[in-house]
Amino acid sequence: MNTPTADVPRAGKHTPPCGHPVHEGITNRCRRGSGSPLQRGGAQPRSVWIACVGLLLSTAFVRAADLHALWAERAKSVVAVEFFTESELDRRPTVAYGTVIDDQGTIILPAPAVGARTTPEQLKDFRVYRPGQSTTNYAVGEYLGQDGFTGWHFVRVAGDARAGLVPVTAFAAPQGPTVPQITDEVWGIGLRGKDEDFTPYFLTGRVGIIQTIPQRTAVTTLEIASPGLPVFDRAGGFIGLGATGFGQSYVMFSQRDRGGAPILLMSTDECSAFQLAEEVLPYLGRIPKNVSGRPLPWLGAHGLQPVDPEVAKFFELEDQAGLVVSEVLEGSPAEKAGLQERDILLALDGRPLPRLKPDRVVVTYVDREIDRRLPGDPIVLTVLRGKERIDVKGSLAEAPPTPREAERRYFDKFGLTLRAFVYADGVSRRVKLAGHAGVIAHFVKSNGPAGAAGLRTDDWIKEIDGVEVKTFAEATEKLAAIEADPLRNEFVLLASRGGETAVLRVKLN
């Protein structure tokens, strides 16, 4: 097989030189990308022509005059949100796209918009931009927090800037959300970058498949929206929200590797999947009460795993889903209720676990069923223990402090940020509650004294200068004293990583 050396443009991404006025007026998709063979006057692969002609035919419905009005009104439900993350070393801007959900100017951003290690205190200066308007004009936004169940981050526009924003709920069907069918034509909104004033553009495609993973999610034949932005049916009804994480698999060939290597491409600007409106509308009211997202429910059944097919056959579980409990966390509601390791979870509150594919999706289903509840809620776990089915009854509790909530302090002289040791640190290191002590190296500057000594991010610091530090207060007090001493040339740390402990000598001069 002959392998072309030039990059082949993706179908639907470049404009064929047809000059069709309808095609020119309805989509920017065939204009995106720079430096492609088509734009340079190079060869035009037949697949590109076929895809573009197919796109033109599939979007014939956009000739309807009312689509222009639908587009203009629905574009008012999307915004671009810029914020800054202040770390130990710099101040980094981030841009995410959000959907307006109510008349109070509340906006939801997708979960990946904020890094998992970023604390709410590090998030600064939220700015909300209207698509297509000059970026010199922006509204001030307030970060409300992240909801643990949906994963959405909530931001609210301040004051008079809410005028002109239209909540996406205004486009939901009064009788309930419309469920698209396979082959249905749908369309959504994308936003260009800040240097182009976040100009909105039109995207369209057809529903290729609908899966339960465990949220009901539609995957489309082409990119359908920017992540976190709404998707509509032909009549303009809200039918879903653009979902991230659905990459496309390719095989990349080179002159040296004729066999080809599989790769996965992920677009950060557009997505080809959306969560159905039935998975969105019921939860728009889950606005966090605080930036930490609390209250957070907790069960403590850890390391759930789908039942192996041979085990399922032995226990006659071929016709139902089951999850093996790998670990019951110490001091957790699951332990207090009497759940045991190697129990096979079959049902929650009398409802059998759903049979989902792939099997690991059932684990996410259980996690979401816990996250949707509140601390103090009762729960009944039906498990198979040996050959006996029993009901384990208990109540959810408030989750222990998370790493994002833990106290931390940066010591510039050492290039080191200490973080308090929390329950999750003990779980990941398989340490009993009695051994929960010391602090965690949350950040280590690579060319700082601590980094030069061999300390790495997430190392567990147990001793400072030969003295055991059991609490965050003890550790910070010890390091503060060393930092304030101009005569100190070095100090030592006892740190653990991957179960191995080492003494590190930190030189200050």
Side-chain angles (χ1 to χ4, degrees):
M1 182 178 68
N2 295 326
T3 304
T5 57
D7 295 332
V8 178
R10 292 182 61 192
K13 290 290 185 180
H14 305 281
T15 306
C18 60
H20 195 291
V22 174
H23 195 181
E24 284 290 314
I26 65 173
T27 182
N28 291 322
R29 175 170 306 182
C30 293
R31 298 193 183 100
R32 292 193 300 279
S34 61
S36 70
L38 290 183
Q39 291 171 318
R40 295 194 301 265
Q44 299 169 9
R46 182 171 179 270
S47 61
V48 175
W49 278 97
I50 293 174
C52 287
V53 171
L55 175 63
L56 179 61
L57 294 175
S58 70
T59 55
F61 76 91
V62 301
R63 299 177 183 178
D66 61 348
L67 184 61
H68 297 289
L70 294 177
W71 162 261
E73 190 66 15
R74 279 142 188 79
K76 298 177 183 177
S77 67
V78 304
V79 295
V81 178
E82 182 181 38
F83 57 91
F84 296 82
T85 303
E86 292 186 353
S87 68
E88 290 83 350
L89 300 180
D90 55 18
R91 174 182 163 94
R92 302 186 307 274
T94 298
V95 172
Y97 301 142
T99 298
V100 182
I101 62 169
D102 60 27
D103 293 327
Q104 302 303 309
T106 309
I107 300 160
I108 54 173
L109 305 178
V114 178
R117 292 176 62 89
T118 303
T119 67
E121 293 74 22
Q122 291 178 302
L123 302 176
K124 308 290 184 180
D125 299 335
F126 279 78
R127 303 173 181 180
V128 180
Y129 299 91
R130 293 173 185 260
Q133 297 187 9
S134 172
T135 54
T136 59
N137 299 318
Y138 58 83
V140 175
E142 176 190 3
Y143 182 68
L144 303 180
Q146 182 180 24
D147 173 49
F149 171 62
T150 61
W152 297 329
H153 296 273
F154 288 75
V155 176
R156 181 165 288 159
V157 178
D160 296 338
R162 302 168 185 172
L165 296 177
V166 179
V168 74
T169 50
F171 311 122
Q175 68 273 17
T178 301
V179 179
Q181 304 298 311
I182 293 177
T183 74
D184 278 359
E185 222 158 16
V186 295
W187 60 276
I189 301 172
L191 295 183
R192 302 294 286 173
K194 184 178 181 180
D195 58 341
E196 298 180 60
D197 293 335
F198 300 114
T199 301
Y201 59 92
F202 181 92
L203 292 165
T204 185
R206 289 184 179 272
V207 175
I209 189 173
I210 297 177
Q211 294 179 288
T212 303
I213 52 178
Q215 301 101 312
R216 293 275 288 164
T217 303
V219 182
T220 53
T221 54
L222 294 169
E223 285 81 359
I224 197 63
S226 289
L229 297 191
V231 178
F232 305 95
D233 60 21
R234 293 181 59 168
F238 173 66
I239 58 170
L241 204 64
T244 58
F246 289 81
Q248 294 175 307
S249 297
Y250 292 81
V251 175
M252 180 172 62
F253 295 92
S254 69
Q255 292 181 349
R256 293 184 178 180
D257 180 15
R258 293 294 181 177
I263 61 173
L264 183 68
L265 297 183
M266 301 288 291
S267 173
T268 58
D269 298 323
E270 299 170 358
C271 53
S272 57
F274 62 94
Q275 290 182 3
L276 302 191
E278 65 188 40
E279 299 284 357
V280 176
L281 293 172
Y283 309 115
L284 295 180
R286 294 181 62 94
I287 301 174
K289 298 179 180 178
N290 48 68
V291 292
S292 64
R294 290 192 177 271
L296 296 173
W298 182 45
L299 176 62
H302 187 61
L304 298 177
Q305 298 289 335
V307 177
D308 182 89
E310 294 184 1
V311 175
K313 183 176 181 180
F314 177 80
F315 286 110
E316 300 180 351
L317 299 176
E318 298 98 327
D319 297 327
Q320 70 175 100
L323 297 175
V324 179
V325 179
S326 299
E327 183 180 1
V328 178
L329 298 182
E330 186 180 6
S332 70
E335 183 188 59
K336 295 175 182 177
L339 193 67
Q340 297 180 12
E341 295 178 7
R342 296 187 294 278
D343 281 350
I344 299 177
L345 179 61
L346 301 177
L348 292 176
D349 290 333
R351 295 191 303 274
L353 301 185
R355 291 177 58 84
L356 302 173
K357 295 296 180 181
D359 291 341
R360 63 180 180 274
V361 174
V362 183
V363 178
T364 307
Y365 167 84
V366 172
D367 290 340
R368 285 174 56 81
E369 284 299 306
I370 301 302
D371 290 339
R372 75 166 69 240
R373 308 180 188 210
L374 292 172
D377 285 353
I379 189 168
V380 179
L381 310 172
T382 301
V383 301
L384 183 66
R385 184 175 295 166
K387 289 285 187 176
E388 182 183 5
R389 295 192 181 211
I390 61 175
D391 287 339
V392 177
K393 299 179 180 179
S395 298
L396 300 178
E398 181 74 28
T402 66
R404 292 184 66 186
E405 298 173 287
E407 292 182 277
R408 64 197 64 206
R409 179 173 170 178
Y410 179 57
F411 294 89
D412 183 62
K413 186 174 181 179
F414 313 137
L416 169 64
T417 297
L418 293 186
R419 172 176 65 73
F421 189 100
V422 297
Y423 188 94
D425 296 315
V427 173
S428 63
R429 291 165 175 80
R430 306 189 68 83
V431 176
K432 294 292 186 180
L433 280 174
H436 287 200
V439 289
I440 302 297
H442 177 73
F443 167 79
V444 180
K445 188 177 179 180
S446 59
N447 59 349
L455 192 68
R456 298 292 179 264
T457 298
D458 290 330
D459 281 355
W460 178 14
I461 300 174
K462 300 180 177 181
E463 295 181 5
I464 300 176
D465 263 355
V467 178
E468 182 181 9
V469 287
K470 294 184 177 181
T471 66
F472 177 75
E474 291 176 359
T476 54
E477 181 180 2
K478 187 72 174 176
L479 280 189
I482 296 173
E483 187 177 44
D485 186 352
L487 301 179
R488 288 295 295 264
N489 294 320
E490 64 179 27
F491 66 96
V492 295
L493 298 173
L494 182 68
S496 174
R497 181 193 311 156
E500 297 183 359
T501 302
V503 176
L504 306 177
R505 190 174 300 276
V506 182
K507 297 184 179 297
L508 303 179
N509 296 316

